[in-house]
Amino acid sequence: MRHVRAFVSVAQLKSFTRAAALLHVSQPALTVQIRKLEAALAVRLLDRNSRTVEITRLGRELLPVFQRILRELDAVVVDTRALANQKHGVVRISALPSFAAGTLPGLISKFRRAHPGMSFVVKDAIASTVIASVRSEEVDIGVTGGDTPGDDLEVVRRSHDHMLVVFPAQHPFNRKRKITVKDLSEHPLVLMDSETSVRAIVDAAFAAAGLLAVPACEATYMMTAVGMVKAGLGVTVLPASAKEIRAEPSLKARPIDDPAFRRPVLVIKKRSRTLPPAAMLFLEEIFAALE
């Protein structure tokens, strides 16, 4: 590329002396660079004598091509430096629906006010899909729940989310001061899909109490579960961070009096993978939100 830049400079300025000064090299060094380019291409690009420099026909044909290459290269360098200086970039993140709809929008809004050149790709998904997306490097960061994933993934921050039972206002639970896992077992349950972290917490809590969580209905999305509860199909268990709980004013939500109903929240990345500068910067926002 130094040889190409040398030729373009001489061709544009029609002078070895001015081109050498522009590139901060000696005139003999500039001459050597152009000769090496001509040797590599096996063509003559410049006709020169003691007083003038003329571009050959092949040189005139190649000049716009070389100019375009240099413009594109310079643009890449500028963009890369801007990314390194945290001015531009793309953050790719996969997160549990409760985090993606609840906490994440506010974090992105705050982050973009400070870094308007940053953009986001957000994939809201159940825990197993979040893990798979990080593992395949489809995303940079994952926010998932449940147990620590495989050895190829790294947990960079841990937090937790309390679980609530959601029920209609006229339900008997509204008259109870405490709701236990035994109370839950005595009513129809609307449970999340077996692949979700919420379902894993519920199943484990029931098993620890010597009970079996048998769903009357199952749902993949929390809003679906809320709709089923509103229709009187049962009660459901959702994380406190889920905005779906507050979306339906006719429903009530209350903590479950059992420490087992607490969901670990994990921020994960691919082990040994260096994250892009934009993702590293956004991690700081996530860490602050989970403190």
Side-chain angles (χ1 to χ4, degrees):
M1 297 308 299
R2 285 197 305 272
H3 302 162
V4 170
R5 199 177 294 277
F7 164 67
V8 170
S9 298
V10 172
Q12 290 176 334
L13 296 174
K14 300 291 184 65
S15 168
F16 273 79
T17 303
R18 292 198 297 273
L22 175 68
L23 298 174
H24 304 290
V25 298
S26 67
Q27 191 168 327
L30 183 64
T31 300
V32 169
Q33 289 177 359
I34 291 178
R35 284 177 178 170
K36 286 184 176 180
L37 179 61
E38 290 176 328
L41 298 175
V43 297
R44 191 171 183 85
L45 300 173
L46 297 171
D47 287 327
R48 48 206 177 266
N49 56 40
S50 59
R51 291 182 299 177
T52 62
V53 178
E54 297 293 338
I55 309 175
T56 66
R57 181 180 61 81
L58 283 174
R60 288 194 297 273
E61 292 176 359
L62 289 174
L63 179 59
V65 177
F66 287 152
Q67 288 172 323
R68 177 179 55 79
I69 291 172
L70 290 176
R71 284 195 302 271
E72 292 178 354
L73 177 62
D74 289 342
V76 168
V77 170
V78 169
D79 287 346
T80 302
R81 287 174 178 166
L83 179 60
N85 290 330
Q86 301 169 350
K87 294 180 180 178
H88 298 282
V90 179
V91 179
R92 293 177 172 83
I93 181 169
S94 182
L96 297 170
S98 56
F99 186 84
T103 305
L104 192 57
L107 293 183
I108 292 175
S109 179
K110 177 185 175 184
F111 187 76
R112 280 181 49 81
R113 284 197 297 271
H115 307 279
M118 299 291 189
S119 59
F120 284 78
V121 175
V122 178
K123 298 181 180 295
D124 54 333
I126 60 177
S128 58
T129 303
V130 172
I131 292 171
S133 296
V134 175
R135 181 169 283 132
S136 67
E137 300 187 17
E138 182 182 358
V139 298
D140 307 311
I141 306 166
V143 181
T144 186
D147 297 329
T148 302
D151 294 339
D152 59 332
L153 301 178
E154 177 184 352
V155 178
V156 295
R157 181 56 62 96
R158 295 177 186 269
S159 185
H160 63 270
D161 200 357
H162 292 285
M163 310 300 289
L164 305 178
V165 57
V166 182
F167 52 89
Q170 68 275 16
H171 195 277
F173 280 173
N174 203 26
R175 297 187 294 273
K176 293 181 71 70
R177 294 183 59 188
K178 293 184 178 180
I179 300 172
T180 66
V181 64
K182 186 175 185 303
D183 294 328
L184 291 175
S185 69
E186 294 172 352
H187 294 270
L189 298 174
V190 176
L191 297 183
M192 303 304 297
D193 185 272
S194 59
E195 294 296 319
T196 64
S197 60
V198 172
R199 178 63 177 276
I201 297 300
V202 173
D203 286 347
F206 268 71
L211 301 169
L212 181 64
V214 179
C217 296
E218 287 188 352
T220 300
Y221 297 101
M222 294 184 190
M223 201 65 225
T224 304
V226 166
M228 290 179 174
V229 173
K230 182 182 177 183
L233 297 176
V235 300
T236 192
V237 177
L238 297 178
S241 60
K243 282 196 170 183
E244 289 85 350
I245 295 175
R246 297 177 288 279
E248 184 47 66
S250 66
L251 301 182
K252 301 288 186 178
R254 191 167 299 171
I256 303 165
D257 189 30
D258 190 325
F261 283 90
R262 194 172 82 156
R263 178 178 64 166
V265 176
L266 311 177
V267 182
I268 61 174
K269 62 179 280 291
K270 185 80 172 285
R271 188 175 297 279
S272 302
R273 182 191 176 198
T274 300
L275 293 178
M280 286 293 295
L281 193 61
F282 188 65
L283 268 180
E284 298 176 10
E285 297 290 338
I286 297 177
F287 291 166
L290 294 179
E291 285 182 352

